[in-house]
Amino acid sequence: DITTVTSHAEYVMEEMESRLTLANITATNWVAWYADQGVSSLPGETLNVTFTNAMADPLDIRVNLGWATKTRSLNETFVTRMTK
């Protein structure tokens, strides 16, 4: 499962890299974007994207993915920094 969520986080961050401006990254509803992509494949998979300071350059980004197993809920957070 960790390999899957790592791949999903990479997919989100690659999309962020393709955006022309930091403002475009912070203005995007990443939860809706992710849902539209149909990438989610784990039970109860959720995505949350946060920015430490949406006006900063470089932009500190946290991508959190959660999912459920039969016995517990799990979360993994991926942190990156981008500039344009």
Side-chain angles (χ1 to χ4, degrees):
D1 293 348
I2 190 66
T3 302
T4 301
V5 295
T6 300
S7 175
H8 293 178
E10 181 180 25
Y11 184 73
V12 171
M13 289 187 276
E14 285 177 355
E15 177 63 24
M16 289 178 180
E17 282 184 352
S18 75
R19 302 298 175 96
L20 296 177
T21 66
L22 295 177
N24 183 271
I25 292 171
T26 59
T28 298
N29 179 337
W30 290 103
V31 173
W33 178 87
Y34 190 70
D36 289 345
Q37 301 307 301
V39 180
S40 179
S41 61
L42 296 173
E45 187 172 339
T46 59
L47 170 85
N48 186 37
V49 175
T50 57
F51 309 101
T52 303
N53 175 355
M55 302 303 291
D57 185 359
L59 182 63
D60 291 318
I61 303 167
R62 297 175 68 86
V63 176
N64 181 274
L65 285 150
W67 70 100
T69 66
K70 291 180 182 179
T71 58
R72 61 188 173 152
S73 295
L74 300 164
N75 285 288
E76 194 66 41
T77 300
F78 302 86
V79 179
T80 192
R81 181 177 277 180
M82 289 187 190
T83 190
K84 298 286 180 177

